[in-house]
Amino acid sequence: MSIECQIKIEDLISPKNLRIGVDQYFFADDAELHDRVSGEEGDFERVRASFDKSHPLKIGVSRYNFYCLEKVLRYGASIFGDSIDVGLLKLDIFPVDGLYGRFIDYLKKVKEAALSSNTELVLYDKELGEILEKISRYAKEQIVPEKELVRFLGIISEEVFVGPQTIVFDPYHRCNSDCLHCWVHTPSIKHPQEFLDRCFDFEIFKRIIDDASDMMVDGIILQGDGEPLIYDKFIDMLRYARGKGLGILFFTNGILLNEKVAREIIDLEVNEIYCSFPAGTASIYSKICPKQSEKTFYIITENMRRLMELRRAAGKSKPRLIMSHVIHNMNYHELIEMALNDSKIKPDAVRYYLIRLDVMNRFLQLEPEHIESIRKMVPQIADILHKNEIDFVDNFEFQLGNYDEKTGAWSKDFFLKHGCTIGWYFNLIPAKYDMSFCCHLRTVGHVDKKSYKDVWFSKEYKRWRRQAKYLRNNAGAKFLNGQVLYDEHCDHCDNHQTLLNNIKRLRELDLDRYL
């Protein structure tokens, strides 16, 4: 055990010993957090209303408030009519390997400041020290990257200490294809001109990226309601985000990713490209994308093949190319042909993805016999990809394993049971600037009116994260646009890979016990 961990929280403050009618606890300077820690709705107002100044005020130290004790102390002192100057006192989360030791020092200073008021610090959460020690140790042993540990700590404590892992931008609404399975540009949908002309203002984008860089966001994705490469600011967006130290990734249909664009992307060291390619043959491609001819199938194949050839010639490992195949009843029989065509391209990875159904593409729903046929082809796909040293992305197994033959959904109520932690990892910003909690337009704020940073760290966003963590109990919670927290879209959650990874890693690190 390190020297800093030889001092325990219990050596500095006593554990709780509740005495009904005597002890008066404050856990926060606002009702929402206080009531969360106490476990009783309305407890904050009850304590305030019944406070007896003849008894000391106790501040309960918990996993849910350990990072803001100076604020709780300041508020507690105000109950007595006192004013405590805590100055610049705060707990720094980074570097994470020293977090436990810094918390001990922080706790000493808060305790010392409390002496000037009739206030006592009490350890209300016996697992707090264990949590912080474990997080610090994992960072010291470099078992997990710092930011990942901090997001895990955030899930445990229901707070955010850094920005999300990923921000998805919707840069442009026009598309040069009309894939039948697309929610936005399937031929049966007719959009008004205002929608088609909508694009992401570059100055607003830069302000968000500036915030994202300060908030330690890992990276951004450009995708959304159109083909990103059509937008004349596309390369500028990539370049600006890269210049701010963010990882960059984008989705494309590959039609415009010619050699000139490929060279620019390689020079920029784009992290990843997902190329959506919904067919294994030219004839099926032209049926699924009726705006395009069979010739386009070969253009895309050659564009992607040439991208990989240029990357190898440049001696680089980026961008990582993932060929992504949306599977439905028009192409389910071509999985092997897709894999064989991918072997000509030689991408880094291949992802098969069961269609996300909605009212506009319900006619593409897979039948039970289609699913059975797909299951039989999976070993052959895996063998083709393995022989060509191409990774087979593993989301397909989850989707097939949870497929609902009646509805076409493929995550059932899995996350209703396990909770949703996407609020610590992801958000989507459409070109209307109505920032969304996840892929399904659950509005948390408007980044043309407030800064990205202000929206992300807002009290309202914190509430939605906590509600999603306990999804089963809060399924009907509403966002700013009236969208509920859980609906049929959650039955085919686009973020399922991130959520599954969180569940897996929290278990592996023995952190799930603290949720």
Side-chain angles (χ1 to χ4, degrees):
M1 184 180 295
S2 65
I3 294 175
E4 66 182 15
C5 292
Q6 289 178 4
I7 301 175
K8 295 295 183 182
I9 297 174
E10 294 89 336
D11 297 334
L12 298 176
I13 56 176
S14 301
K16 67 179 179 180
N17 181 20
L18 294 178
R19 293 171 292 169
I20 302 301
V22 178
D23 285 341
Q24 303 166 100
Y25 280 89
F26 267 108
F27 304 103
D29 57 350
D30 72 90
E32 194 159 349
L33 178 55
H34 175 99
D35 291 355
R36 168 70 186 96
V37 182
S38 72
E40 297 181 31
E41 186 175 350
D43 187 65
F44 182 79
E45 295 300 333
R46 181 191 64 76
V47 173
R48 282 189 359 137
S50 62
F51 186 72
D52 182 353
K53 291 187 178 182
S54 65
H55 294 288
L57 176 69
K58 296 178 183 291
I59 293 177
V61 180
S62 161
R63 74 191 71 185
Y64 304 112
N65 69 0
F66 74 92
Y67 54 87
C68 63
L69 296 177
E70 78 281 1
K71 294 180 181 179
V72 187
L73 176 58
R74 187 188 297 116
Y75 181 81
S78 71
I79 299 294
F80 289 103
D82 295 336
S83 177
I84 291 184
D85 181 13
V86 293
L88 299 177
L89 180 60
K90 72 168 193 172
L91 176 64
D92 292 323
I93 300 297
F94 291 94
V96 183
D97 61 358
L99 176 59
Y100 185 94
R102 284 196 308 282
F103 178 72
I104 293 296
D105 291 339
Y106 168 77
L107 192 59
K108 289 177 182 177
K109 293 174 183 175
V110 175
K111 181 180 178 183
E112 183 179 345
L115 292 175
S116 61
S117 172
N118 191 21
T119 305
E120 179 185 352
L121 298 182
V122 176
L123 181 59
Y124 200 78
D125 181 349
K126 65 180 182 179
E127 291 182 323
L128 174 60
E130 186 178 308
I131 293 167
L132 297 181
E133 190 278 329
K134 192 173 288 188
I135 293 289
S136 297
R137 175 163 50 83
Y138 288 154
K140 192 183 298 289
E141 295 171 357
Q142 299 183 352
I143 292 175
V144 180
E146 276 196 324
K147 283 188 285 186
E148 186 174 355
L149 282 171
V150 168
R151 291 190 182 103
F152 288 158
L153 179 60
I155 294 169
I156 292 168
S157 63
E158 298 170 11
E159 181 56 77
V160 283
F161 304 108
V162 293
Q165 187 179 71
T166 305
I167 304 174
V168 175
F169 289 90
D170 168 18
Y172 201 45
H173 280 187
R174 288 192 178 274
C175 191
N176 52 356
S177 187
D178 55 352
C179 304
L180 296 181
H181 54 263
C182 178
W183 288 25
V184 182
H185 293 285
T186 189
S188 62
I189 295 180
K190 305 300 178 186
H191 293 290
Q193 195 66 34
E194 183 275 332
F195 177 88
L196 294 173
D197 291 340
R198 192 178 298 158
C199 58
F200 210 104
D201 182 87
F202 189 50
E203 293 305 314
I204 294 177
F205 174 81
K206 289 197 294 184
R207 291 200 297 269
I208 295 170
I209 293 300
D210 291 345
D211 273 355
S213 180
D214 291 342
M215 295 159 58
M216 303 177 72
V217 171
D218 292 28
I220 67 165
I221 300 175
L222 300 184
Q223 57 173 70
D225 290 339
E227 169 55 43
L229 271 70
I230 295 178
Y231 188 30
D232 61 0
K233 296 291 185 183
F234 172 71
I235 294 295
D236 293 334
M237 295 173 92
L238 294 180
R239 185 174 290 114
Y240 192 83
R242 171 61 78 206
K244 290 291 182 176
L246 299 178
I248 46 179
L249 183 158
F250 67 87
F251 281 69
T252 179
N253 57 32
I255 298 172
L256 298 177
L257 213 164
N258 55 35
E259 182 165 331
K260 178 180 179 296
V261 176
R263 290 184 184 278
E264 287 186 281
I265 287 168
I266 292 168
D267 288 343
L268 274 172
E269 294 192 327
V270 168
N271 294 71
E272 288 185 337
I273 299 171
Y274 280 81
C275 179
S276 180
F277 204 11
T281 62
S283 61
I284 293 298
Y285 176 83
S286 64
K287 290 182 174 67
I288 294 173
C289 307
K291 186 186 288 186
Q292 296 295 332
S293 67
E294 293 187 12
K295 180 182 177 181
T296 305
F297 176 89
Y298 300 106
I299 290 173
I300 296 170
T301 299
E302 177 57 21
N303 282 349
M304 297 301 101
R305 189 199 67 78
R306 183 61 174 151
L307 169 67
M308 295 303 291
E309 186 176 72
L310 290 169
R311 192 193 79 179
R312 288 190 291 270
K316 294 187 176 182
S317 59
K318 297 178 182 178
R320 187 170 185 262
L321 176 62
I322 300 97
M323 300 303 295
S324 183
H325 307 299
V326 177
I327 308 303
H328 44 71
N329 64 21
M330 287 184 67
N331 64 7
Y332 75 94
H333 58 287
E334 287 208 327
L335 272 62
I336 293 172
E337 286 82 357
M338 292 175 190
L340 290 170
N341 195 55
D342 291 334
S343 67
K344 299 174 186 175
I345 294 169
K346 299 190 183 302
D348 298 279
V350 169
R351 178 180 79 157
Y352 291 85
Y353 206 89
L354 299 185
I355 186 173
R356 292 186 296 123
L357 293 172
D358 207 336
V359 63
M360 71 286 291
N361 62 16
R362 179 67 61 180
F363 66 95
L364 293 171
Q365 181 171 338
L366 291 156
E367 298 296 332
E369 59 268 26
H370 300 160
I371 293 296
E372 185 59 32
S373 178
I374 290 170
R375 293 185 200 278
K376 291 178 180 178
M377 282 186 274
V378 169
Q380 297 175 69
I381 297 167
D383 185 58
I384 292 168
L385 297 177
H386 176 72
K387 287 178 178 177
N388 286 276
E389 299 182 333
I390 301 170
D391 291 339
F392 187 4
V393 179
D394 61 2
N395 62 280
F396 211 33
E397 181 179 352
F398 173 81
Q399 292 179 317
L400 290 171
N402 290 279
Y403 189 75
D404 187 322
E405 294 180 352
K406 182 177 180 180
T407 66
W410 37 254
S411 55
K412 295 184 178 178
D413 58 354
F414 184 88
F415 299 112
L416 193 63
K417 295 176 181 176
H418 292 83
C420 172
T421 56
I422 205 61
W424 282 268
Y425 286 84
F426 173 96
N427 51 54
L428 165 67
I429 308 180
K432 281 183 68 177
Y433 315 119
D434 46 342
M435 181 167 147
S436 177
F437 189 76
C438 64
C439 286
H440 296 294
L441 301 181
R442 295 173 167 91
T443 305
V444 294
H446 298 84
V447 291
D448 56 337
K449 298 174 182 176
K450 286 186 176 182
S451 73
Y452 177 82
K453 187 178 294 185
D454 285 345
V455 175
W456 176 256
F457 288 111
S458 68
K459 185 181 294 186
E460 293 79 12
Y461 210 141
K462 179 177 178 179
R463 183 186 308 129
W464 287 314
R465 288 187 191 97
R466 185 173 65 248
Q467 289 170 333
K469 179 181 174 181
Y470 306 101
L471 187 57
R472 183 181 291 280
N473 298 327
N474 300 288
K478 289 187 177 182
F479 291 87
L480 296 181
N481 60 342
Q483 180 66 44
V484 295
L485 183 57
Y486 182 88
D487 61 15
E488 69 276 7
H489 295 299
C490 301
D491 294 336
H492 42 241
C493 173
D494 268 344
N495 298 118
H496 70 274
Q497 287 171 286
T498 297
L499 298 178
L500 289 170
N501 183 65
N502 290 348
I503 292 169
K504 178 183 176 183
R505 294 297 283 141
L506 284 164
R507 286 175 179 168
E508 289 173 348
L509 297 169
D510 195 32
L511 294 174
D512 60 321
R513 68 165 68 187
Y514 308 119
L515 298 179

